[in-house]
Amino acid sequence: MSRSGAEIRALRALAVVLAAAICGLVGARPASAAAQASTFDLGEPVSRTLHQLQDQAVQWLVQSDPERSGERVTELLETVRQLGFSRFPDLARGALLRAVDGARRGDFDLSRQALTAAERLDPGRPEISFATATVARMEGRYAVAVGQTMVGIWRTLTWPFERHLVLEGAMLWVLWLLLATAGFFLVVQMAAKGGALLADIGRIFASRSSRFTVPFSVAVLVWPLVLPSGLIWLLLWWSVLLWGYASASERTVLVGAWLLLAVTPPLLAEQRQRLGIALSPPSLALDSLERRELSGDLWNDLGVLKTLVPESLAARQLIADIHRRLGQWERARGLYQEVIQKEPGNSAALVDIGTYYLVRHEYAQAIEQFKRAADIDLASAAAQYNLSQAYRGSYRFEEAERADSQARARDRSLVEGWVQRSERVVAVDGGFQRIPEIRRQLESRLLGAGSANRRVDRLRRYGPAGLALGLLLAALGLDALRRSRSGYSEAPLDLKLGSSAWQRWLRVLLPGLPSAEVGDGFSGFSAAVILLALASIPFLPRLGFRLPTSFGSGQGAAWLIMVIGLVSYFIARYRYDRANEI
């Protein structure tokens, strides 16, 4: 099948993009010894395999025959498995780009072929479902598009990294929503009670100079606008002035808003630390290792991990496990020996170094290591199973049978699985089991590196708590002073807005206003929070955290939900107002 010029140009452009992503797998070998210490050392055989993987990826990219394309993907996955991994996310993203590009050109057979390849290269990735939905919309299969969008959302909520970002973004959105609702609540309170407040302020200035009564009164209300971030200071000032006009429930809402102001900075500071650690290169490398993903940045990120926790035995054992999986046995053996010297009771490292000797047919050394591991960890089936293999290699069959029986006594199903798969030697991957420990060490190191300006951090965290306390004391003091001198010109619960048409629509369109008329702070806050929650639905990616994906669920559904929700909300408010008209 001949290709058009536009298709060839598109494929070449995509090849350049993918080659740039994949070439990171090979890594650049540094020139200096200091730089070498901070990178992951890849031997010549592994580098050749990575170059082979890069060539296979490019060959798959230019392959148009579906049958040959499937064979190329199988070859790619086989090469990836040779390196100890099972996923290839970089090429999967490239396949998604190829699928959408093919759909734009009307080649939906190519799109489906690329989507199938992406699912094989990185099964279960949320992006794949969203890209499938995009292709389905272009093809006019809208039911499939909706279904795949739902699948993508479900995958996002179950995929560990994306779920973590979604939850952190949800917390950020909730904080924003509550703060915005508190501000909206104060605006409504001022709309309902500002007249009484302005009259009381005017009465203070009226005894001195009637000509400046109105300007002075307005200035008292709005003077915080001249400050930096004046709108925020204005709302805080209004919360103090309105205290005396508020009912008990409205004062409870005001106190809750001040408490929210106090706790938000510490929560955000803690969240920044969590995300900074979770998104750091070493943490991303640990995530990739747990999911067995071969990503282009993996080797550089592991180099950063070595630099940040150079004394960590857990990290050293993990890197040894990686070298062993890559077939770099000599590098792995040296690291395992370093771990055992400082942790002589590390049975997993003893088993893994025993596998080195067993692979090299040095059975006496292998038996020694496996026996030490079995004596330390009495529940280790791997130590006894490997010991039986080492005895067989030494023609000590009676001892081999005894060790095999002990291995089956510890975990029969596990041993039978090894036998069925004809696994002659079994590694423990003790370093991979210590990834949670490495995370804690990394967190401690990163938190310690970011604590240079502790005084400034303390002020940012706890300054708002002092401000909230100051606002409460100012409100109480001003209320006591007003009551002892001039008092209030109008009782808080005597405010009525009437029942004309425009006043009804004002109450409908300004949630919380009817509640402010009767001093019901809880109902007023609830009405406002529902309104702002619905209005913020299309802006959730900006109010939370944008997921690092090339494809998402799209904004059309979010805008539709917002419009339907707001219309239903205002209709319900209008009907309720008419039913309760005074």
Side-chain angles (χ1 to χ4, degrees):
M1 180 184 297
S2 61
R3 298 176 184 263
S4 66
E7 181 179 356
I8 294 175
R9 288 192 296 271
L11 285 175
R12 287 176 177 173
L14 188 55
V16 172
V17 173
L18 286 181
I22 297 168
C23 70
L25 294 170
V26 180
R29 191 170 297 276
S32 65
Q36 179 70 27
S38 64
T39 60
F40 193 90
D41 188 17
L42 295 175
E44 188 62 30
V46 176
S47 296
R48 284 199 304 270
T49 303
L50 292 173
H51 280 294
Q52 175 188 350
L53 187 62
Q54 183 178 356
D55 293 338
Q56 289 174 338
V58 174
Q59 291 173 9
W60 168 81
L61 181 66
V62 299
Q63 182 61 245
S64 60
D65 182 65
E67 183 176 348
R68 289 294 299 159
S69 177
E71 293 175 1
R72 295 293 185 189
V73 172
T74 301
E75 294 171 0
L76 278 165
L77 290 174
E78 182 60 33
T79 305
V80 169
R81 293 189 184 100
Q82 290 175 12
L83 297 171
F85 299 89
S86 60
R87 295 176 179 272
F88 200 170
D90 291 336
L91 190 58
R93 294 188 184 96
L96 298 181
L97 293 175
R98 185 184 188 189
V100 174
D101 179 71
R104 290 196 182 104
R105 293 182 281 103
D107 191 347
F108 295 106
D109 290 336
L110 176 64
S111 296
R112 284 187 283 273
Q113 167 191 319
L115 290 172
T116 300
E119 189 66 44
R120 292 184 61 191
L121 292 165
D122 197 7
R125 177 77 63 175
E127 283 181 89
I128 300 175
S129 297
F130 292 133
T132 304
T134 300
V135 171
R137 282 195 299 270
M138 293 181 180
E139 197 174 0
R141 299 187 300 159
Y142 299 106
V144 174
V146 173
Q148 286 298 315
T149 299
M150 295 298 103
V151 172
I153 293 174
W154 173 252
R155 285 182 171 184
T156 300
L157 297 176
T158 56
W159 201 260
F161 182 73
E162 279 74 5
R163 182 179 65 242
H164 178 68
L165 280 185
V166 168
L167 292 177
E168 294 290 351
M171 187 193 104
L172 194 63
W173 173 72
V174 168
L175 289 175
W176 173 90
L177 179 61
L178 293 177
L179 287 171
T181 303
F184 189 87
F185 177 82
L186 286 169
V187 171
V188 172
Q189 290 289 305
M190 183 59 70
K193 305 172 183 178
L197 173 61
L198 193 61
D200 284 344
I201 296 175
R203 193 167 51 165
I204 296 174
F205 292 105
S207 60
R208 300 178 183 178
S209 175
S210 59
R211 188 172 52 174
F212 297 104
T213 298
V214 175
F216 283 166
S217 300
V218 174
V220 169
L221 283 179
V222 301
W223 70 267
L225 288 175
V226 302
L227 301 175
S229 303
L231 184 58
I232 296 175
W233 289 109
L234 177 67
L235 293 174
L236 295 177
W237 175 237
W238 283 359
S239 69
V240 173
L241 294 178
L242 289 168
W243 178 267
Y245 299 88
S247 66
S249 64
E250 289 169 338
R251 290 184 178 185
T252 302
V253 173
L254 290 178
V255 172
W258 292 335
L259 289 176
L260 181 65
L261 177 66
V263 302
T264 295
L267 288 176
L268 292 180
E270 184 178 348
Q271 184 186 62
R272 280 197 298 271
Q273 289 180 343
R274 288 198 307 269
L275 287 176
I277 294 171
L279 298 176
S280 63
S283 293
L284 295 176
L286 295 176
D287 290 340
S288 295
L289 291 174
E290 286 182 321
R291 294 192 296 264
R292 300 187 67 184
E293 292 178 354
L294 181 59
S295 61
D297 295 328
L298 177 62
W299 312 121
N300 291 332
D301 293 347
L302 288 173
V304 177
L305 175 65
K306 291 169 57 179
T307 303
L308 287 177
V309 286
E311 303 301 323
S312 170
L313 293 176
R316 204 166 299 179
Q317 188 172 356
L318 172 64
I319 293 173
D321 286 350
I322 298 171
H323 280 304
R324 176 180 48 75
R325 285 186 175 188
L326 294 173
Q328 301 182 151
W329 286 94
E330 291 298 333
R331 292 180 174 87
R333 180 178 67 89
L335 290 170
Y336 284 136
Q337 288 178 336
E338 292 178 12
V339 173
I340 293 172
Q341 287 176 1
K342 296 185 179 181
E343 295 180 347
N346 192 323
S347 63
L350 288 169
V351 170
D352 288 335
I353 199 172
T355 61
Y356 164 81
Y357 291 115
L358 185 57
V359 168
R360 291 172 57 88
H361 305 290
E362 298 179 14
Y363 299 114
Q365 294 91 330
I367 291 171
E368 178 186 355
Q369 301 300 325
F370 293 139
K371 290 179 68 175
R372 287 177 60 189
D375 291 339
I376 293 171
D377 186 1
L378 300 179
S380 174
Q384 293 290 350
Y385 178 79
N386 287 333
L387 182 59
S388 70
Q389 300 298 317
Y391 279 139
R392 286 191 177 89
S394 302
Y395 302 103
R396 298 161 63 176
F397 298 108
E398 182 177 347
E399 294 169 290
E401 290 299 326
R402 189 183 307 114
D404 185 73
S405 298
Q406 293 178 356
R408 293 175 183 273
R410 284 158 174 76
D411 195 327
R412 174 172 296 274
S413 62
L414 194 60
V415 173
E416 290 179 352
W418 293 333
V419 173
Q420 290 175 1
R421 292 190 297 271
S422 301
E423 294 188 31
R424 180 174 172 271
V425 59
V426 175
V428 176
D429 282 337
F432 280 83
Q433 296 172 7
R434 300 179 73 175
I435 284 180
E437 178 184 350
I438 299 172
R439 291 188 192 278
R440 291 191 295 271
Q441 295 171 348
L442 184 62
E443 179 179 354
S444 176
R445 177 60 184 271
L446 292 176
L447 289 178
S451 61
N453 298 323
R454 290 186 177 180
R455 186 173 299 177
V456 176
D457 292 341
R458 193 177 295 114
L459 179 62
R460 289 175 178 173
R461 285 188 176 215
Y462 305 115
L467 174 61
L469 180 60
L471 292 172
L472 177 60
L473 294 177
L476 293 174
L478 183 60
D479 182 51
L481 180 64
R482 293 276 300 281
R483 291 183 184 279
S484 64
R485 293 192 175 183
S486 59
Y488 294 94
S489 62
E490 191 173 349
L493 303 184
D494 290 340
L495 303 172
K496 304 296 180 184
L497 291 180
S499 58
S500 63
W502 74 269
Q503 289 170 333
R504 176 183 296 123
W505 279 109
L506 182 63
R507 288 194 297 268
V508 169
L509 297 177
L510 194 59
L513 193 58
S515 300
E517 292 179 303
V518 297
D520 188 353
F522 300 137
S523 296
F525 189 88
S526 300
V529 78
I530 294 173
L531 171 67
L532 293 178
L534 290 171
S536 65
I537 289 176
F539 308 100
L540 288 179
R542 296 183 181 180
L543 298 175
F545 296 102
R546 186 178 295 277
L547 297 177
T549 59
S550 302
F551 301 94
S553 57
Q555 289 292 95
W559 282 101
L560 182 61
I561 293 172
M562 183 201 73
V563 171
I564 294 175
L566 288 177
V567 170
S568 302
Y569 175 72
F570 285 121
I571 290 175
R573 286 187 59 82
Y574 181 81
R575 290 179 176 177
Y576 178 82
D577 187 80
R578 295 228 20 202
N580 294 272
E581 184 177 350
I582 299 175

